[in-house]
Amino acid sequence: MADRDDMKYEPGDPAARGPEAVRRAFANQVAYCRSNGAEVTASVCEGLHDLLDSGRGGAAMRRIRKWQGAPLADALPLRIAGGLHALHLDGAEPDLEPVYAGQRASRMADLLADVIERHEPFLMPWLDGPPQTNEAGRSAGFAAAFLWLVDRGLPGNFALNEIGASAGINLMMRRYRYDLGGVHVGPAGARMRIAPEWRGDPPPSGAFDIVGAQGCDIAPVDLTDERQASRLRAYIWPEYTERFARLDAAIVAARTFPPEIERCPAADFVERTLATEPEAGVTRVIMHSVVWQYLPEEERERIEAAMAAAGARASAESPLAWVALEANRDTHRHELSVRYWPGGETWTRLAVAHPHGAWIEWEPGGAG
């Protein structure tokens, strides 16, 4: 059993590689989950952390111990944790039932080693790609940001362009109803109702409309495909049962009118989107949530350059906004930040939030 002092959060270099970087990635994931109330996933990742030194776990754990990429940037712990959760959701592994019921196993590492060794063919493919955590609750932050932008004088008609859109759940936010600290926006009869715990002052009251919505992802998820939807379910932290209900509601919405998602790299999508002529009276928005950390540095630089160039051409009649909800790895919280052109070129932090939208803490007037 590893010393519990290993479980403190030490961000380190997200590009670091090697055995120590693997250990740090699992320790960081434990601390991150605990900080956000995900004790079940934290205990699973803690058991996997302990398993790193045991020599057990078959080919899957050997691949993890010798991970060739950057384990923190690759979200390696969540890849294997998602696979284990999928086993449980499929009912394929009875030994995991008490774990996901919140009962802390006395020998978690040994239990997980047994499970991983029994289900090696199932679990190995879960290591091949990053986790998908598309979450409708995050769109509450986007809605609050749009109200803030309208309050700053930008047109209330928004054309959404989302990078890392995954299944496009946030692109369907025109069909959701929000209660943002008592400020209500969205259709009153919406099936999806999102009301995060609101801390601090409410956002500006007002209204907005979404007149267009498109996105991109390098591996888009089709919500109407049950196999792909099941994969999304496996990445949901089991404590947050309302997230399963929101995913089911998003699936129904996608079957009615699916979101528009292109399979392509983020930088290509942003450059091509911003090269088109803007429409007068519409605020073009580039937006993303829990995506930036996964993009290569070269791609991030291309996006920043494309935004700066398009921002220089923006006007009061055809403005450009950049809305980001991304993790601060030092605080374990997510930060809602906004830039807009013309007039708001520097980043303004509007709020800090739970990673899946359970609560939002608004910062009056925004913080730089």
Side-chain angles (χ1 to χ4, degrees), residues 301-359:
E301 290 174 350
R302 284 174 57 194
I303 292 171
E304 289 169 347
M307 293 296 290
R313 302 190 301 270
S315 66
E317 294 74 27
S318 301
L320 173 66
W322 189 350
V323 182
L325 181 63
E326 295 291 344
N328 182 322
R329 288 291 178 173
D330 292 323
T331 64
H332 312 293
R333 293 181 168 189
H334 286 58
E335 297 179 347
L336 176 67
S337 302
V338 179
R339 296 174 72 183
Y340 65 91
W341 295 262
E345 289 80 3
T346 59
W347 282 109
T348 296
R349 191 178 73 194
L350 299 180
V352 293
H354 182 274
H356 303 118
W359 54 265

Side-chain angles (χ1 to χ4, degrees), residues 129-150:
Q132 293 273 16
T133 54
N134 208 191
E135 170 51 50
R138 293 174 182 154
S139 67
F142 291 145
F146 298 161
L147 290 172
W148 185 85
L149 288 168
V150 171

